[in-house]
Amino acid sequence: SISCYVRSVFFVSVIHSVDPGLSVAPRPNRKISGVVSSELLADCWDAGDYACARCGHVLYSSTAKFPGPCMWPSFRVGASPDALHENVVEEYNGYTCEVREIYCNSCRLFLGHMFEDGKERGDTSPDAHWRHCVLTLSLLFRPASQVAPSEGPATES
């Protein structure tokens, strides 16, 4: 079975073998997101980094997180310009804004989707633009107290 403690099935499933050159991820990904009924990191507001659960590449900083409208953790921007790989999705569930699939830029693990509706969907930051909805299964949270300054973008705030 798949859980935030047992991720091996997640890593070897269809979700990580998606060719990032495709315009749309295969539909079995919905089965994975449906397995997780409680997104543990959606309500985590501690300072730190969110790294790829498979390779450890830093994906997001807690400073970019906001309480989004969906059950998955929501972020406004990646931790660095090289944190994420993105593919534009031509049509996604009737959304009228631009939608992109997001992957770890290091190992290409599928992370979720980003929507160009952050400001409209609850992000109150002056920098609000994109809303990244990321599967908890794809993330490892590292508290700021456990992140070395050289590993960084995590900062205590």
Side-chain angles (χ1 to χ4, degrees), residues 94-138:
Y95 276 87
T96 56
C97 64
E98 185 172 335
V99 178
R100 298 178 184 176
E101 295 171 338
I102 43 179
Y103 300 84
C104 171
N105 200 31
S106 179
C107 73
R108 296 299 200 253
L109 179 69
F110 177 77
L111 305 172
H113 292 88
M114 56 190 281
F115 304 86
E116 196 174 23
D117 67 357
K119 187 169 282 200
E120 295 82 15
R121 299 299 300 258
D123 188 355
T124 58
S125 168
D127 300 327
H129 185 75
W130 287 95
R131 171 176 57 100
H132 298 220
C133 295
V134 183
L135 294 164
T136 289
L137 281 174
S138 66

mmCIF file of all heavy atoms in Angstrom, residues 94-138:
data_model
loop_
_atom_site.group_PDB
_atom_site.id
_atom_site.type_symbol
_atom_site.label_atom_id
_atom_site.label_comp_id
_atom_site.label_asym_id
_atom_site.label_seq_id
_atom_site.Cartn_x
_atom_site.Cartn_y
_atom_site.Cartn_z
ATOM 1 N N GLY A 94 -11.315 21.426 -17.337
ATOM 2 C CA GLY A 94 -12.126 22.612 -17.568
ATOM 3 C C GLY A 94 -11.568 23.917 -17.028
ATOM 4 O O GLY A 94 -12.240 24.944 -17.064
ATOM 5 N N TYR A 95 -10.333 23.904 -16.527
ATOM 6 C CA TYR A 95 -9.728 25.158 -16.042
ATOM 7 C C TYR A 95 -9.564 26.118 -17.201
ATOM 8 O O TYR A 95 -9.182 25.718 -18.299
ATOM 9 C CB TYR A 95 -8.366 24.896 -15.388
ATOM 10 C CG TYR A 95 -8.461 24.470 -13.947
ATOM 11 C CD1 TYR A 95 -8.618 23.131 -13.614
ATOM 12 C CD2 TYR A 95 -8.389 25.403 -12.930
ATOM 13 C CE1 TYR A 95 -8.714 22.731 -12.286
ATOM 14 C CE2 TYR A 95 -8.481 25.022 -11.606
ATOM 15 C CZ TYR A 95 -8.643 23.677 -11.290
ATOM 16 O OH TYR A 95 -8.730 23.299 -9.988
ATOM 17 N N THR A 96 -9.823 27.387 -16.969
ATOM 18 C CA THR A 96 -9.666 28.394 -18.017
ATOM 19 C C THR A 96 -8.318 29.114 -17.913
ATOM 20 O O THR A 96 -7.919 29.801 -18.836
ATOM 21 C CB THR A 96 -10.809 29.425 -17.971
ATOM 22 O OG1 THR A 96 -10.853 30.011 -16.666
ATOM 23 C CG2 THR A 96 -12.142 28.770 -18.296
ATOM 24 N N CYS A 97 -7.627 28.942 -16.797
ATOM 25 C CA CYS A 97 -6.289 29.522 -16.646
ATOM 26 C C CYS A 97 -5.259 28.547 -17.222
ATOM 27 O O CYS A 97 -5.564 27.390 -17.501
ATOM 28 C CB CYS A 97 -5.986 29.794 -15.175
ATOM 29 S SG CYS A 97 -5.903 28.313 -14.146
ATOM 30 N N GLU A 98 -4.022 29.018 -17.382
ATOM 31 C CA GLU A 98 -2.952 28.124 -17.831
ATOM 32 C C GLU A 98 -2.653 27.104 -16.740
ATOM 33 O O GLU A 98 -2.617 27.438 -15.552
ATOM 34 C CB GLU A 98 -1.686 28.909 -18.170
ATOM 35 C CG GLU A 98 -0.603 28.016 -18.747
ATOM 36 C CD GLU A 98 0.603 28.771 -19.271
ATOM 37 O OE1 GLU A 98 0.465 29.954 -19.643
ATOM 38 O OE2 GLU A 98 1.689 28.165 -19.303
ATOM 39 N N VAL A 99 -2.430 25.856 -17.147
ATOM 40 C CA VAL A 99 -2.116 24.761 -16.229
ATOM 41 C C VAL A 99 -0.838 24.082 -16.728
ATOM 42 O O VAL A 99 -0.650 23.904 -17.930
ATOM 43 C CB VAL A 99 -3.264 23.728 -16.160
ATOM 44 C CG1 VAL A 99 -2.903 22.574 -15.228
ATOM 45 C CG2 VAL A 99 -4.563 24.385 -15.724
ATOM 46 N N ARG A 100 0.026 23.735 -15.783
ATOM 47 C CA ARG A 100 1.266 23.017 -16.107
ATOM 48 C C ARG A 100 1.433 21.843 -15.165
ATOM 49 O O ARG A 100 1.076 21.931 -13.993
ATOM 50 C CB ARG A 100 2.477 23.941 -15.975
ATOM 51 C CG ARG A 100 2.436 25.120 -16.917
ATOM 52 C CD ARG A 100 3.619 26.033 -16.709
ATOM 53 N NE ARG A 100 3.514 27.216 -17.561
ATOM 54 C CZ ARG A 100 4.365 28.217 -17.535
ATOM 55 N NH1 ARG A 100 5.391 28.189 -16.698
ATOM 56 N NH2 ARG A 100 4.197 29.245 -18.331
ATOM 57 N N GLU A 101 2.003 20.766 -15.680
ATOM 58 C CA GLU A 101 2.438 19.667 -14.822
ATOM 59 C C GLU A 101 3.791 20.065 -14.258
ATOM 60 O O GLU A 101 4.575 20.738 -14.928
ATOM 61 C CB GLU A 101 2.611 18.383 -15.634
ATOM 62 C CG GLU A 101 1.333 17.865 -16.204
ATOM 63 C CD GLU A 101 1.556 16.733 -17.174
ATOM 64 O OE1 GLU A 101 2.681 16.596 -17.725
ATOM 65 O OE2 GLU A 101 0.600 15.995 -17.400
ATOM 66 N N ILE A 102 4.063 19.637 -13.022
ATOM 67 C CA ILE A 102 5.363 19.944 -12.436
ATOM 68 C C ILE A 102 6.046 18.654 -11.992
ATOM 69 O O ILE A 102 5.411 17.719 -11.504
ATOM 70 C CB ILE A 102 5.264 20.960 -11.274
ATOM 71 C CG1 ILE A 102 4.104 20.659 -10.344
ATOM 72 C CG2 ILE A 102 5.171 22.366 -11.810
ATOM 73 C CD1 ILE A 102 3.976 21.617 -9.175
ATOM 74 N N TYR A 103 7.368 18.637 -12.206
ATOM 75 C CA TYR A 103 8.224 17.501 -11.904
ATOM 76 C C TYR A 103 9.446 17.995 -11.153
ATOM 77 O O TYR A 103 9.864 19.149 -11.327
ATOM 78 C CB TYR A 103 8.725 16.837 -13.201
ATOM 79 C CG TYR A 103 7.630 16.319 -14.086
ATOM 80 C CD1 TYR A 103 6.976 17.157 -14.980
ATOM 81 C CD2 TYR A 103 7.251 14.983 -14.037
ATOM 82 C CE1 TYR A 103 5.970 16.680 -15.802
ATOM 83 C CE2 TYR A 103 6.242 14.495 -14.857
ATOM 84 C CZ TYR A 103 5.608 15.353 -15.736
ATOM 85 O OH TYR A 103 4.610 14.880 -16.540
ATOM 86 N N CYS A 104 10.057 17.125 -10.369
ATOM 87 C CA CYS A 104 11.367 17.427 -9.791
ATOM 88 C C CYS A 104 12.331 17.593 -10.959
ATOM 89 O O CYS A 104 12.381 16.732 -11.848
ATOM 90 C CB CYS A 104 11.817 16.287 -8.876
ATOM 91 S SG CYS A 104 13.526 16.443 -8.321
ATOM 92 N N ASN A 105 13.080 18.669 -10.981
ATOM 93 C CA ASN A 105 14.009 18.912 -12.080
ATOM 94 C C ASN A 105 15.224 18.004 -12.015
ATOM 95 O O ASN A 105 15.949 17.881 -12.993
ATOM 96 C CB ASN A 105 14.449 20.376 -12.105
ATOM 97 C CG ASN A 105 15.002 20.770 -13.460
ATOM 98 O OD1 ASN A 105 14.585 20.250 -14.486
ATOM 99 N ND2 ASN A 105 15.942 21.687 -13.465
ATOM 100 N N SER A 106 15.439 17.340 -10.889
ATOM 101 C CA SER A 106 16.586 16.461 -10.753
ATOM 102 C C SER A 106 16.269 15.034 -11.202
ATOM 103 O O SER A 106 16.960 14.481 -12.040
ATOM 104 C CB SER A 106 17.068 16.467 -9.305
ATOM 105 O OG SER A 106 18.166 15.614 -9.142
ATOM 106 N N CYS A 107 15.214 14.436 -10.667
ATOM 107 C CA CYS A 107 14.903 13.026 -10.974
ATOM 108 C C CYS A 107 13.625 12.840 -11.784
ATOM 109 O O CYS A 107 13.287 11.731 -12.153
ATOM 110 C CB CYS A 107 14.832 12.203 -9.693
ATOM 111 S SG CYS A 107 13.346 12.502 -8.691
ATOM 112 N N ARG A 108 12.905 13.920 -12.051
ATOM 113 C CA ARG A 108 11.671 13.930 -12.845
ATOM 114 C C ARG A 108 10.498 13.221 -12.177
ATOM 115 O O ARG A 108 9.574 12.773 -12.843
ATOM 116 C CB ARG A 108 11.889 13.350 -14.246
ATOM 117 C CG ARG A 108 12.839 14.146 -15.120
ATOM 118 C CD ARG A 108 12.308 15.551 -15.341
ATOM 119 N NE ARG A 108 12.895 16.191 -16.504
ATOM 120 C CZ ARG A 108 13.786 17.160 -16.444
ATOM 121 N NH1 ARG A 108 14.210 17.601 -15.280
ATOM 122 N NH2 ARG A 108 14.261 17.701 -17.543
ATOM 123 N N LEU A 109 10.501 13.150 -10.847
ATOM 124 C CA LEU A 109 9.337 12.631 -10.132
ATOM 125 C C LEU A 109 8.167 13.582 -10.369
ATOM 126 O O LEU A 109 8.320 14.796 -10.247
ATOM 127 C CB LEU A 109 9.621 12.521 -8.629
ATOM 128 C CG LEU A 109 8.469 12.005 -7.770
ATOM 129 C CD1 LEU A 109 8.204 10.525 -8.053
ATOM 130 C CD2 LEU A 109 8.763 12.207 -6.292
ATOM 131 N N PHE A 110 7.009 13.055 -10.705
ATOM 132 C CA PHE A 110 5.810 13.879 -10.882
ATOM 133 C C PHE A 110 5.403 14.439 -9.529
ATOM 134 O O PHE A 110 5.296 13.715 -8.540
ATOM 135 C CB PHE A 110 4.673 13.032 -11.467
ATOM 136 C CG PHE A 110 3.389 13.781 -11.621
ATOM 137 C CD1 PHE A 110 3.215 14.680 -12.663
ATOM 138 C CD2 PHE A 110 2.353 13.608 -10.729
ATOM 139 C CE1 PHE A 110 2.029 15.384 -12.807
ATOM 140 C CE2 PHE A 110 1.164 14.297 -10.858
ATOM 141 C CZ PHE A 110 0.998 15.192 -11.909
ATOM 142 N N LEU A 111 5.166 15.766 -9.463
ATOM 143 C CA LEU A 111 4.837 16.438 -8.208
ATOM 144 C C LEU A 111 3.380 16.856 -8.125
ATOM 145 O O LEU A 111 2.788 16.861 -7.059
ATOM 146 C CB LEU A 111 5.707 17.690 -8.037
ATOM 147 C CG LEU A 111 7.217 17.489 -8.109
ATOM 148 C CD1 LEU A 111 7.928 18.835 -8.111
ATOM 149 C CD2 LEU A 111 7.698 16.601 -6.985
ATOM 150 N N GLY A 112 2.805 17.266 -9.242
ATOM 151 C CA GLY A 112 1.436 17.763 -9.237
ATOM 152 C C GLY A 112 1.229 18.730 -10.382
ATOM 153 O O GLY A 112 1.812 18.567 -11.455
ATOM 154 N N HIS A 113 0.436 19.762 -10.139
ATOM 155 C CA HIS A 113 0.109 20.746 -11.171
ATOM 156 C C HIS A 113 0.266 22.164 -10.626
ATOM 157 O O HIS A 113 0.149 22.392 -9.427
ATOM 158 C CB HIS A 113 -1.333 20.568 -11.654
ATOM 159 C CG HIS A 113 -1.533 19.301 -12.403
ATOM 160 N ND1 HIS A 113 -1.857 18.124 -11.766
ATOM 161 C CD2 HIS A 113 -1.447 19.016 -13.719
ATOM 162 C CE1 HIS A 113 -1.961 17.164 -12.674
ATOM 163 N NE2 HIS A 113 -1.728 17.683 -13.866
ATOM 164 N N MET A 114 0.495 23.089 -11.529
ATOM 165 C CA MET A 114 0.499 24.497 -11.168
ATOM 166 C C MET A 114 -0.529 25.210 -12.039
ATOM 167 O O MET A 114 -0.698 24.892 -13.213
ATOM 168 C CB MET A 114 1.890 25.116 -11.272
ATOM 169 C CG MET A 114 2.579 24.992 -12.588
ATOM 170 S SD MET A 114 4.325 25.482 -12.536
ATOM 171 C CE MET A 114 4.214 27.252 -12.569
ATOM 172 N N PHE A 115 -1.233 26.145 -11.412
ATOM 173 C CA PHE A 115 -2.338 26.855 -12.044
ATOM 174 C C PHE A 115 -2.056 28.348 -11.983
ATOM 175 O O PHE A 115 -1.635 28.853 -10.938
ATOM 176 C CB PHE A 115 -3.655 26.563 -11.303
ATOM 177 C CG PHE A 115 -3.965 25.099 -11.197
ATOM 178 C CD1 PHE A 115 -3.455 24.334 -10.158
ATOM 179 C CD2 PHE A 115 -4.761 24.484 -12.152
ATOM 180 C CE1 PHE A 115 -3.745 22.975 -10.059
ATOM 181 C CE2 PHE A 115 -5.061 23.130 -12.058
ATOM 182 C CZ PHE A 115 -4.551 22.375 -11.016
ATOM 183 N N GLU A 116 -2.330 29.043 -13.062
ATOM 184 C CA GLU A 116 -2.086 30.481 -13.102
ATOM 185 C C GLU A 116 -3.307 31.220 -12.549
ATOM 186 O O GLU A 116 -3.907 32.065 -13.195
ATOM 187 C CB GLU A 116 -1.783 30.930 -14.536
ATOM 188 C CG GLU A 116 -1.159 32.295 -14.611
ATOM 189 C CD GLU A 116 -0.729 32.661 -16.019
ATOM 190 O OE1 GLU A 116 -1.255 32.099 -16.993
ATOM 191 O OE2 GLU A 116 0.162 33.519 -16.129
ATOM 192 N N ASP A 117 -3.659 30.885 -11.303
ATOM 193 C CA ASP A 117 -4.827 31.499 -10.653
ATOM 194 C C ASP A 117 -4.589 31.724 -9.166
ATOM 195 O O ASP A 117 -5.523 31.784 -8.382
ATOM 196 C CB ASP A 117 -6.075 30.638 -10.863
ATOM 197 C CG ASP A 117 -6.018 29.284 -10.161
ATOM 198 O OD1 ASP A 117 -4.976 28.950 -9.540
ATOM 199 O OD2 ASP A 117 -7.011 28.543 -10.229
ATOM 200 N N GLY A 118 -3.321 31.841 -8.768
ATOM 201 C CA GLY A 118 -2.987 31.968 -7.351
ATOM 202 C C GLY A 118 -3.711 33.093 -6.642
ATOM 203 O O GLY A 118 -4.297 32.892 -5.576
ATOM 204 N N LYS A 119 -3.695 34.260 -7.222
ATOM 205 C CA LYS A 119 -4.337 35.417 -6.593
ATOM 206 C C LYS A 119 -5.848 35.200 -6.463
ATOM 207 O O LYS A 119 -6.447 35.493 -5.431
ATOM 208 C CB LYS A 119 -4.061 36.686 -7.397
ATOM 209 C CG LYS A 119 -4.548 37.953 -6.703
ATOM 210 C CD LYS A 119 -4.039 39.194 -7.388
ATOM 211 C CE LYS A 119 -2.603 39.357 -6.946
ATOM 212 N NZ LYS A 119 -2.055 40.679 -7.091
ATOM 213 N N GLU A 120 -6.452 34.640 -7.507
ATOM 214 C CA GLU A 120 -7.906 34.404 -7.498
ATOM 215 C C GLU A 120 -8.309 33.285 -6.550
ATOM 216 O O GLU A 120 -9.456 33.226 -6.111
ATOM 217 C CB GLU A 120 -8.398 34.058 -8.918
ATOM 218 C CG GLU A 120 -8.256 35.165 -9.924
ATOM 219 C CD GLU A 120 -6.845 35.260 -10.521
ATOM 220 O OE1 GLU A 120 -6.045 34.308 -10.369
ATOM 221 O OE2 GLU A 120 -6.541 36.291 -11.125
ATOM 222 N N ARG A 121 -7.362 32.378 -6.214
ATOM 223 C CA ARG A 121 -7.695 31.211 -5.398
ATOM 224 C C ARG A 121 -7.121 31.270 -3.987
ATOM 225 O O ARG A 121 -6.920 30.250 -3.358
ATOM 226 C CB ARG A 121 -7.236 29.936 -6.101
ATOM 227 C CG ARG A 121 -7.872 29.681 -7.465
ATOM 228 C CD ARG A 121 -9.388 29.527 -7.422
ATOM 229 N NE ARG A 121 -9.808 28.436 -6.608
ATOM 230 C CZ ARG A 121 -10.203 27.255 -7.047
ATOM 231 N NH1 ARG A 121 -10.217 27.016 -8.333
ATOM 232 N NH2 ARG A 121 -10.576 26.328 -6.209
ATOM 233 N N GLY A 122 -6.845 32.469 -3.479
ATOM 234 C CA GLY A 122 -6.542 32.595 -2.061
ATOM 235 C C GLY A 122 -5.154 33.027 -1.657
ATOM 236 O O GLY A 122 -4.894 33.224 -0.480
ATOM 237 N N ASP A 123 -4.225 33.176 -2.588
ATOM 238 C CA ASP A 123 -2.884 33.618 -2.220
ATOM 239 C C ASP A 123 -2.914 35.131 -2.048
ATOM 240 O O ASP A 123 -3.164 35.869 -2.995
ATOM 241 C CB ASP A 123 -1.880 33.218 -3.294
ATOM 242 C CG ASP A 123 -0.441 33.474 -2.881
ATOM 243 O OD1 ASP A 123 -0.207 34.051 -1.800
ATOM 244 O OD2 ASP A 123 0.461 33.108 -3.654
ATOM 245 N N THR A 124 -2.664 35.588 -0.840
ATOM 246 C CA THR A 124 -2.744 37.019 -0.527
ATOM 247 C C THR A 124 -1.394 37.735 -0.629
ATOM 248 O O THR A 124 -1.313 38.931 -0.372
ATOM 249 C CB THR A 124 -3.331 37.232 0.877
ATOM 250 O OG1 THR A 124 -2.501 36.551 1.820
ATOM 251 C CG2 THR A 124 -4.756 36.701 0.957
ATOM 252 N N SER A 125 -0.353 37.017 -1.013
ATOM 253 C CA SER A 125 0.965 37.633 -1.161
ATOM 254 C C SER A 125 0.955 38.631 -2.315
ATOM 255 O O SER A 125 0.286 38.415 -3.321
ATOM 256 C CB SER A 125 2.005 36.549 -1.457
ATOM 257 O OG SER A 125 3.222 37.130 -1.872
ATOM 258 N N PRO A 126 1.721 39.727 -2.181
ATOM 259 C CA PRO A 126 1.843 40.661 -3.308
ATOM 260 C C PRO A 126 2.442 39.977 -4.553
ATOM 261 O O PRO A 126 2.239 40.432 -5.662
ATOM 262 C CB PRO A 126 2.787 41.750 -2.791
ATOM 263 C CG PRO A 126 2.823 41.594 -1.321
ATOM 264 C CD PRO A 126 2.445 40.183 -0.999
ATOM 265 N N ASP A 127 3.167 38.872 -4.341
ATOM 266 C CA ASP A 127 3.785 38.128 -5.442
ATOM 267 C C ASP A 127 2.874 37.029 -5.999
ATOM 268 O O ASP A 127 3.316 36.217 -6.817
ATOM 269 C CB ASP A 127 5.093 37.481 -4.981
ATOM 270 C CG ASP A 127 6.108 38.508 -4.504
ATOM 271 O OD1 ASP A 127 6.110 39.625 -5.055
ATOM 272 O OD2 ASP A 127 6.877 38.189 -3.584
ATOM 273 N N ALA A 128 1.633 36.974 -5.562
ATOM 274 C CA ALA A 128 0.718 35.905 -5.980
ATOM 275 C C ALA A 128 0.560 35.872 -7.488
ATOM 276 O O ALA A 128 0.329 36.898 -8.123
ATOM 277 C CB ALA A 128 -0.643 36.099 -5.314
ATOM 278 N N HIS A 129 0.727 34.695 -8.046
ATOM 279 C CA HIS A 129 0.507 34.499 -9.479
ATOM 280 C C HIS A 129 0.156 33.032 -9.740
ATOM 281 O O HIS A 129 -0.955 32.724 -10.078
ATOM 282 C CB HIS A 129 1.746 34.930 -10.271
ATOM 283 C CG HIS A 129 1.556 34.880 -11.743
ATOM 284 N ND1 HIS A 129 0.819 35.810 -12.443
ATOM 285 C CD2 HIS A 129 1.995 33.991 -12.669
ATOM 286 C CE1 HIS A 129 0.807 35.506 -13.714
ATOM 287 N NE2 HIS A 129 1.515 34.391 -13.881
ATOM 288 N N TRP A 130 1.130 32.138 -9.547
ATOM 289 C CA TRP A 130 0.917 30.711 -9.752
ATOM 290 C C TRP A 130 0.540 30.019 -8.451
ATOM 291 O O TRP A 130 0.977 30.421 -7.374
ATOM 292 C CB TRP A 130 2.184 30.057 -10.301
ATOM 293 C CG TRP A 130 2.454 30.393 -11.724
ATOM 294 C CD1 TRP A 130 3.265 31.399 -12.174
ATOM 295 C CD2 TRP A 130 1.914 29.758 -12.868
ATOM 296 N NE1 TRP A 130 3.262 31.406 -13.548
ATOM 297 C CE2 TRP A 130 2.442 30.404 -14.009
ATOM 298 C CE3 TRP A 130 1.032 28.691 -13.062
ATOM 299 C CZ2 TRP A 130 2.129 30.029 -15.302
ATOM 300 C CZ3 TRP A 130 0.722 28.309 -14.356
ATOM 301 C CH2 TRP A 130 1.266 28.977 -15.453
ATOM 302 N N ARG A 131 -0.248 28.974 -8.568
ATOM 303 C CA ARG A 131 -0.618 28.115 -7.432
ATOM 304 C C ARG A 131 -0.140 26.712 -7.774
ATOM 305 O O ARG A 131 -0.633 26.077 -8.683
ATOM 306 C CB ARG A 131 -2.134 28.154 -7.239
ATOM 307 C CG ARG A 131 -2.681 27.160 -6.249
ATOM 308 C CD ARG A 131 -4.179 27.327 -6.051
ATOM 309 N NE ARG A 131 -4.962 27.209 -7.275
ATOM 310 C CZ ARG A 131 -5.621 26.100 -7.644
ATOM 311 N NH1 ARG A 131 -5.584 25.020 -6.899
ATOM 312 N NH2 ARG A 131 -6.319 26.092 -8.775
ATOM 313 N N HIS A 132 0.853 26.220 -7.024
ATOM 314 C CA HIS A 132 1.388 24.878 -7.214
ATOM 315 C C HIS A 132 0.668 23.958 -6.230
ATOM 316 O O HIS A 132 0.777 24.143 -5.023
ATOM 317 C CB HIS A 132 2.877 24.830 -6.896
ATOM 318 C CG HIS A 132 3.724 25.703 -7.764
ATOM 319 N ND1 HIS A 132 4.951 25.307 -8.228
ATOM 320 C CD2 HIS A 132 3.532 26.955 -8.270
ATOM 321 C CE1 HIS A 132 5.479 26.261 -8.966
ATOM 322 N NE2 HIS A 132 4.638 27.277 -8.991
ATOM 323 N N CYS A 133 -0.042 22.973 -6.728
ATOM 324 C CA CYS A 133 -0.701 21.968 -5.882
ATOM 325 C C CYS A 133 0.134 20.700 -5.963
ATOM 326 O O CYS A 133 0.219 20.065 -7.017
ATOM 327 C CB CYS A 133 -2.120 21.707 -6.367
ATOM 328 S SG CYS A 133 -3.186 23.134 -6.206
ATOM 329 N N VAL A 134 0.767 20.329 -4.844
ATOM 330 C CA VAL A 134 1.798 19.295 -4.845
ATOM 331 C C VAL A 134 1.379 18.124 -3.956
ATOM 332 O O VAL A 134 0.944 18.318 -2.812
ATOM 333 C CB VAL A 134 3.141 19.887 -4.361
ATOM 334 C CG1 VAL A 134 4.238 18.850 -4.431
ATOM 335 C CG2 VAL A 134 3.513 21.121 -5.191
ATOM 336 N N LEU A 135 1.548 16.915 -4.476
ATOM 337 C CA LEU A 135 1.224 15.707 -3.712
ATOM 338 C C LEU A 135 2.167 15.551 -2.526
ATOM 339 O O LEU A 135 3.396 15.591 -2.696
ATOM 340 C CB LEU A 135 1.356 14.472 -4.601
ATOM 341 C CG LEU A 135 0.383 14.352 -5.751
ATOM 342 C CD1 LEU A 135 0.873 13.311 -6.744
ATOM 343 C CD2 LEU A 135 -0.985 13.991 -5.227
ATOM 344 N N THR A 136 1.629 15.342 -1.349
ATOM 345 C CA THR A 136 2.457 15.101 -0.172
ATOM 346 C C THR A 136 3.390 13.912 -0.385
ATOM 347 O O THR A 136 4.528 13.923 0.074
ATOM 348 C CB THR A 136 1.575 14.883 1.074
ATOM 349 O OG1 THR A 136 0.985 16.127 1.441
ATOM 350 C CG2 THR A 136 2.362 14.377 2.260
ATOM 351 N N LEU A 137 2.929 12.888 -1.100
ATOM 352 C CA LEU A 137 3.778 11.725 -1.359
ATOM 353 C C LEU A 137 5.085 12.093 -2.046
ATOM 354 O O LEU A 137 6.074 11.388 -1.915
ATOM 355 C CB LEU A 137 3.030 10.713 -2.242
ATOM 356 C CG LEU A 137 2.003 9.828 -1.570
ATOM 357 C CD1 LEU A 137 1.275 9.001 -2.624
ATOM 358 C CD2 LEU A 137 2.644 8.933 -0.533
ATOM 359 N N SER A 138 5.098 13.172 -2.790
ATOM 360 C CA SER A 138 6.298 13.551 -3.529
ATOM 361 C C SER A 138 7.243 14.439 -2.718
ATOM 362 O O SER A 138 8.314 14.780 -3.195
ATOM 363 C CB SER A 138 5.911 14.259 -4.828
ATOM 364 O OG SER A 138 5.282 15.489 -4.555
#
